[in-house]
Amino acid sequence: MATIEEALEIERLERDIFRGASTKTQLPRTFGGQVAGQALVAAVRTVEPRYQVHSLHGYFLRPGNPDQPTVYLVERIRDGRSFCTRRVTGVQDGAAIFTMSASFHIGDQGPEHQDVMPEVQPPDELPDASTTMSPERLWAMREWEHWDIRTVPQDQVARRDGVVSQQQVWFRYRHPLPDDPLFHVCTLAYMSDMTLLGSSKVTHPDEQTQNASLDHAMWFLRPFRADDWLLYDQSSPSAGFGRALTGGKIFNREGQLVAAVVQEGLIRTLRD
């Protein structure tokens, strides 16, 4: 399947209009992480290099057709001395399938603190998901064959009082990536949509549901590399009315909190 370089490839058509590549996939609709990642790449292409993206907020409006490219329209909302903002709309067949606001910052000095990474089994002691996946789920490993994904067993997850549904996943890109920090940010935007909604299914493992991402927000807090191990510490504080709220903190192996994610997703019970 597609490499991350292929999945994030976009072509500039006009000053603020880009076309994202469609890639080979087994999915019936365009993977949300690919749309978010390509949209962020488009926004980055319109910003001076001294600005670094620090947050994005996106809405998945319609299912994308994976066999068609997506066109991204970038609006230059604000260019300030310290911050700039872009709005990106992904379009297929004349209809918006995704919209995103992204904010960029030059970086300043200020107080520093962060939550502590939970004690968790290191990735080297966990099996590669491609060796443990059930036969009916092996398609997922073929779809994302370039990612090394290792889920912490539920009986070994570091439990927090009052948190009802938790999941912890180590992941990294299997191959060396370019040194450009913004490429790693866009790669993480792609990856952050993967596995997160699954944290809402931990307490309902046998219930058959239809699942889809509805909205997605990320904050990029510290530098990182997506080809080094990252821990995705996930939880779902609420599910109901066919929707689930999920969130995740992403740590590097040294325990630095590098990103945070919040997502609401469709989790609708399938009826016979």
Side-chain angles (χ1 to χ4, degrees), residues 160-179:
R160 300 189 296 275
D161 290 343
V163 179
V164 65
S165 191
Q166 291 180 247
Q167 179 172 263
Q168 293 171 332
V169 180
W170 286 101
F171 68 91
R172 66 176 175 182
Y173 196 69
R174 294 185 186 273
H175 317 296
L177 293 174
D179 290 332

Side-chain angles (χ1 to χ4, degrees), residues 57-128:
H57 297 72
Y59 286 89
F60 298 95
L61 305 176
R62 295 178 176 86
N65 182 341
D67 297 323
Q68 292 185 10
T70 303
V71 172
Y72 297 94
L73 312 176
V74 181
E75 298 176 70
R76 301 180 185 235
I77 303 300
R78 177 176 183 263
D79 285 296
R81 288 179 296 179
S82 298
F83 289 89
C84 62
T85 306
R86 298 292 185 263
R87 182 182 296 129
V88 186
T89 303
V91 176
Q92 284 188 347
D93 289 330
I97 66 168
F98 179 74
T99 183
M100 181 186 77
S101 294
S103 182
F104 297 76
H105 185 213
I106 62 171
D108 288 309
Q109 296 295 316
E112 293 189 19
H113 66 263
Q114 68 155 74
D115 285 352
V116 176
M117 186 174 79
E119 294 186 10
V120 63
Q121 193 171 0
D124 318 78
E125 299 178 8
L126 296 170
D128 188 325

Side-chain angles (χ1 to χ4, degrees), residues 134-190:
S134 61
E136 62 272 15
R137 292 287 298 167
L138 280 178
W139 67 268
M141 288 300 96
R142 292 191 295 270
E143 183 71 28
W144 291 288
E145 62 183 336
H146 299 290
W147 291 93
D148 193 342
I149 302 171
R150 307 190 181 199
T151 302
V152 177
Q154 276 295 303
D155 60 0
Q156 297 178 33
V157 169
R159 299 293 175 187
R160 300 189 296 275
D161 290 343
V163 179
V164 65
S165 191
Q166 291 180 247
Q167 179 172 263
Q168 293 171 332
V169 180
W170 286 101
F171 68 91
R172 66 176 175 182
Y173 196 69
R174 294 185 186 273
H175 317 296
L177 293 174
D179 290 332
D180 180 6
L182 283 174
F183 187 85
H184 290 263
V185 166
C186 295
T187 297
L188 188 59
Y190 173 97

